[in-house]
Amino acid sequence: MDSHSQVLERLRTAFRSGITLPLEFRRTQLTKLLALVKDNEEQIVKALHQDLAKPKFESILSEVEMVTNELHHAISNVATWIQPEYVSKNLATKLDDCFVRREPLGVVLIIGPWNYPLQLLILPLVGAIAAGNCAVIKPSEISSATDCLVAELIPKYLSQDCYAVVRGGAEETKALLQNRFDHIFYTGSQAVARSVVQAASVHLTPVTLELGGKCPCLIYGQINIQAAAHRVVWAKYFNAGQSCVAPDYVLCTKATRDALVPALTTVLEEFYGKEPQKSPDLSRIVSARHFTRLMKLLEKTKGKVVIGGQSDEKDKYIAPTVLVDVEEDDALMGEEIFGPILPILTVEELEKSIELVNRKEKPLALYVFSNESSVVKTTMEKTSSGGFCSNDGIIHMALPGLPFGGVGASGWGSYHGRWGFETFSHRRACMLRGWALERLNGLRYPPYSEDKLKWLRWTTSAHSNCSLM
């Protein structure tokens, strides 16, 4: 097995050769990546079930289809994305070609998480390939079956000179981060993100961080309670709540809560039956460590369990759980839950709810449920989050045209569709000049005078902008 330095040298040599620059190369690699997913769909579903007991339906929807849709979008649009972007000019530059040129950054590192171990590893890779980079891919060792499968398949389908998979645990990742990359794209926890940023700072390497946080779900005003219950349950308990954009807690009035809890009970039984542990449609907690963390949160909470609460350590099963009478300072409100536990906090006024949200770090996503457009508008305008969705959850991240990413503590930067291409591109400002208008250029040469300054200010001002390109 090659050392990290050998792998990086191989990739750097390939990048310097210019092999990744042509459009045809990028399209070919993206097409091969698409073939990887399509040819091995059954193996992918099997690996995801081994790692998370993820139902085939959820694996296809959130992993396979998300990746193939992103690939189709990139293959169809990359020719447009790489075109120079011409900018408006002023009188002094009217004969020049002035444009922004997208150039690849070089050799990039992509570190994936365990909760969506294919989607959240491959989607950034799509952007990196489309932008013309070479890439080192580090899957999560926690989702070991998917880790193993990715390491086996990537070299079979993609250029081994340009793309490499590095496996291992925390120590391996720490050693990998000691090397210089041209960009690091990390998806995972805020705690590990700090270590990534610290390591990147040694080489002044730019970093994209896709993190998480506590995504609030506000339910106010007139509401279709049954429809809301269906959508909240689906978004929260999809992948057993192990989604960075899952609703983390609900804010609503007492009256809404009293109507919502019975609706949630009905929907949970409709989705997973009277014995959810026997349902084939409910994932499991990824590891014993994460199971223990979630159970400790339930032990510490002062809230009242009104739905679920059952668990099976051997099966890494925690029933879909709902709690009421949860306060802002409760243990469940201190960190991202990242599991099938939903606390409901009662706040009688929307404005007070918004104040509570704004006292916390900015979340990766924010949801509001209401039939009233004024409630949706007020919530959107008076809060800040990576993404925003009304009357549904998670679904906004499935659209390639929308950027996906956090703000502040929930992440730096964004991707999906063109946004991923831009993340892995350098926007180079280019001006191509000839030798014309030298008399006009003479205005900037010494000896200086007030007349020269007056004319120069006029030729370079916004008033002299012209549409010539």
Side-chain angles (χ1 to χ4, degrees):
M1 183 180 294
D2 292 342
S3 67
H4 294 163
S5 59
Q6 289 173 317
V7 170
L8 282 167
E9 186 55 36
R10 183 176 81 241
L11 269 59
R12 288 203 184 282
T13 299
F15 181 75
R16 289 171 185 147
S17 76
I19 188 174
T20 63
L21 295 179
L23 171 62
E24 193 54 40
F25 177 86
R26 305 184 198 193
R27 274 185 169 158
T28 298
Q29 296 304 305
L30 291 170
T31 302
K32 288 182 176 180
L33 192 55
L34 182 61
L36 181 157
V37 178
K38 288 186 172 181
D39 293 350
N40 299 281
E41 181 176 302
E42 188 176 330
Q43 287 179 267
I44 289 167
V45 169
K46 182 179 177 181
L48 292 166
H49 191 269
Q50 288 176 344
D51 289 330
L52 292 142
K54 193 173 286 197
K56 178 180 178 180
F57 187 96
E58 292 189 4
S59 293
I60 297 296
L61 190 65
S62 66
E63 305 267 10
V64 173
E65 284 300 305
M66 281 283 290
V67 170
T68 56
N69 288 343
E70 183 82 2
L71 280 161
H72 282 299
H73 185 76
I75 291 167
S76 299
N77 291 284
V78 65
T80 301
W81 296 343
I82 66 174
Q83 295 304 310
E85 178 187 348
Y86 287 89
V87 299
S88 59
K89 298 178 287 188
N90 54 34
L91 182 61
T93 57
K94 74 173 184 175
L95 298 183
D96 303 325
D97 285 333
C98 304
F99 56 91
V100 179
R101 172 183 163 91
R102 267 73 176 180
E103 297 181 346
L105 299 173
V107 178
V108 304
L109 171 62
I110 299 169
I111 304 175
W114 54 260
N115 59 326
Y116 292 88
L118 185 77
Q119 181 213 133
L120 298 180
L121 183 73
I122 301 301
L123 259 58
L125 179 61
V126 173
I129 294 173
N133 298 279
C134 292
V136 175
I137 309 146
K138 171 62 181 68
S140 172
E141 76 285 359
I142 296 174
S143 47
S144 57
T146 309
D147 174 17
C148 184
L149 185 61
V150 167
E152 175 192 338
L153 295 178
I154 289 289
K156 289 182 179 179
Y157 285 81
L158 300 187
S159 167
Q160 294 187 38
D161 290 330
C162 301
Y163 312 103
V165 180
V166 172
R167 301 178 65 195
E171 291 305 314
E172 188 78 12
T173 305
K174 192 178 296 184
L176 184 60
L177 284 166
Q178 291 177 4
N179 296 279
R180 183 179 70 81
F181 292 91
D182 297 296
H183 194 90
I184 297 173
F185 190 108
Y186 169 77
T187 303
S189 71
Q190 294 176 356
V192 176
R194 292 183 175 90
S195 299
V196 172
V197 171
Q198 190 172 16
S201 69
V202 174
H203 303 288
L204 296 178
T205 300
V207 177
T208 298
L209 301 176
E210 296 296 337
L211 308 176
K214 297 185 73 63
C215 300
C217 178
L218 288 70
I219 306 177
Y220 282 89
Q222 296 297 314
I223 187 75
N224 182 332
I225 205 71
Q226 282 301 126
H230 277 86
R231 297 181 188 190
V232 169
V233 167
W234 180 80
K236 176 60 183 179
Y237 301 106
F238 193 95
N239 200 30
Q242 297 167 117
S243 305
C244 55
V245 288
D248 191 90
Y249 60 99
V250 169
L251 294 168
C252 62
T253 65
K254 185 177 183 300
T256 298
R257 181 200 70 185
D258 291 344
L260 181 63
V261 170
L264 293 175
T265 302
T266 300
V267 172
L268 281 165
E269 185 173 326
E270 177 188 327
F271 282 11
Y272 307 115
K274 292 183 180 294
E275 298 181 76
Q277 189 172 3
K278 295 181 179 179
S279 171
D281 299 326
L282 193 61
S283 298
R284 295 298 186 262
I285 306 306
V286 71
S287 68
R289 182 170 69 87
H290 287 278
F291 176 90
T292 301
R293 179 187 65 82
L294 289 166
M295 293 309 297
K296 285 183 177 177
L297 287 177
L298 282 177
E299 290 170 10
K300 292 178 182 177
T301 182
K302 296 177 182 177
K304 176 184 176 184
V305 175
V306 290
I307 302 173
Q310 302 86 4
S311 64
D312 182 338
E313 184 174 3
K314 187 176 180 181
D315 191 26
K316 290 181 288 189
Y317 165 80
I318 297 176
T321 299
V322 178
L323 301 96
V324 298
D325 300 333
V326 177
E327 300 295 333
E328 186 180 352
D329 60 355
D330 192 90
L332 287 170
M333 297 299 292
E335 63 181 80
E336 184 179 7
I337 294 171
F338 222 68
I341 301 167
L342 181 65
I344 300 177
L345 287 71
T346 54
V347 181
E348 293 303 313
E349 298 174 24
L350 174 63
E351 291 290 342
K352 295 294 183 183
S353 241
I354 290 172
E355 288 175 11
L356 187 153
V357 169
N358 289 339
R359 283 195 291 270
K360 297 185 174 296
E361 297 283 6
K362 295 176 181 178
L364 183 58
L366 190 149
Y367 307 112
V368 58
F369 285 72
S370 182
N371 293 350
E372 301 174 21
S373 59
S374 61
V375 171
V376 174
K377 184 179 179 181
T378 297
T379 305
M380 183 170 61
E381 291 181 347
K382 294 191 175 183
T383 59
S384 177
S385 60
F388 180 90
C389 184
S390 66
N391 297 320
D392 215 332
I394 296 184
I395 205 74
H396 66 286
M397 68 171 292
L399 185 63
L402 288 175
F404 177 69
V407 57
S410 60
W412 303 350
S414 60
Y415 68 123
H416 287 192
R418 173 150 195 167
W419 307 96
F421 170 83
E422 295 287 357
T423 287
F424 288 104
S425 297
H426 167 59
R427 289 175 287 280
R428 189 179 188 184
C430 298
M431 179 183 287
L432 307 185
R433 309 206 81 181
W435 299 103
L437 297 181
E438 183 59 19
R439 186 174 180 182
L440 182 61
N441 289 331
L443 293 173
R444 59 191 166 107
Y445 302 150
Y448 301 137
S449 69
E450 287 297 319
D451 280 346
K452 282 185 175 182
L453 182 59
K454 180 180 71 174
W455 280 105
L456 195 59
R457 291 178 72 174
W458 182 76
T459 60
T460 59
S461 71
H463 301 293
S464 71
N465 280 356
C466 63
S467 60
L468 294 173
M469 295 292 184

